[in-house]
Amino acid sequence: MWSLGCVIAELFLGWPLYPGAQEYDQIRYISQTQGLPGEHLLNVGTKTARFFCRESDSPYSAWRLKSTDEHETETGMKSKEARKYIFSCLDDIAHVNLLMNLEGSDLLAEKVDRREFVGLLKRMLWIDAEKRIAPVEALSHSFMSMQHLLDFHIAT
């Protein structure tokens, strides 16, 4: 589901959602857009220490993403910004390439369609695989069935 989510995001955007030649950059993009993985995932992750470190001044066992400088110092590999679109959250995707020549019910239908698309995408890209949408659920999502557009008369 994760891979399919990345593919449909790229088809929609015309550019990879999380590009990057280095794993660190991809993890950084995901964390900046979707937040850090849950502590339970970081605690059991086999590569957690490569990309994250524990907050030393925290009374809790909180993790944080290593800075680009910290990662470069440890690995000797320089981080590079490769994103065309920099999102603070996945909801921002709905605003990319919005057709400005639409009006009335066509514009409203487009916005509703984008909202449903992003809703499905967020469930496909849920960081915790145990909570990610299952294929059978994805197939019955309103974006796939297009049920959300039945109330709109789309001009042809």
Side-chain angles (χ1 to χ4, degrees):
M1 288 296 6
W2 179 274
S3 295
L4 183 58
C6 288
V7 168
I8 67 168
E10 184 170 345
L11 289 172
F12 179 81
L13 295 169
W15 190 262
L17 179 61
Y18 299 129
Q22 295 183 48
E23 286 178 298
Y24 172 76
D25 288 330
Q26 292 175 333
I27 295 291
R28 182 169 57 91
Y29 301 156
I30 292 165
S31 296
Q32 289 172 346
T33 305
Q34 296 176 244
L36 295 181
E39 186 171 350
H40 67 286
L41 295 174
L42 292 171
N43 287 339
V44 299
T46 58
K47 295 183 179 182
T48 298
R50 286 189 197 178
F51 310 114
F52 300 91
C53 58
R54 289 194 182 274
E55 288 284 6
S56 57
D57 58 350
S58 173
Y60 310 101
S61 60
W63 291 93
R64 70 169 176 80
L65 180 67
K66 290 180 181 178
S67 70
T68 53
D69 289 339
E70 288 172 321
H71 185 262
E72 184 179 344
T73 299
E74 289 178 13
T75 64
M77 297 176 1
K78 189 156 182 63
S79 186
K80 179 183 172 194
E81 180 59 65
R83 293 175 288 184
K84 180 176 181 178
Y85 301 106
I86 299 174
F87 302 115
S88 60
C89 65
L90 291 175
D91 291 315
D92 292 346
I93 292 172
H95 307 292
V96 173
N97 300 326
L98 185 60
L99 299 173
M100 299 313 285
N101 61 343
L102 296 176
E103 56 187 46
S105 66
D106 289 342
L107 179 59
L108 184 56
E110 178 67 17
K111 287 181 177 182
V112 168
D113 196 41
R114 286 168 176 257
R115 184 188 69 220
E116 292 298 317
F117 169 73
V118 171
L120 175 58
L121 182 64
K122 287 165 68 174
R123 296 200 54 209
M124 295 172 88
L125 296 180
W126 198 265
I127 292 175
D128 186 340
E130 295 295 320
K131 297 179 182 175
R132 199 171 297 147
I133 194 168
V136 70
E137 290 176 284
L139 288 172
S140 63
H141 189 276
S142 61
F143 180 76
M144 299 301 282
S145 67
M146 304 198 87
Q147 289 291 111
H148 61 285
L149 295 177
L150 291 178
D151 293 335
F152 297 97
H153 170 68
I154 309 295
T156 56

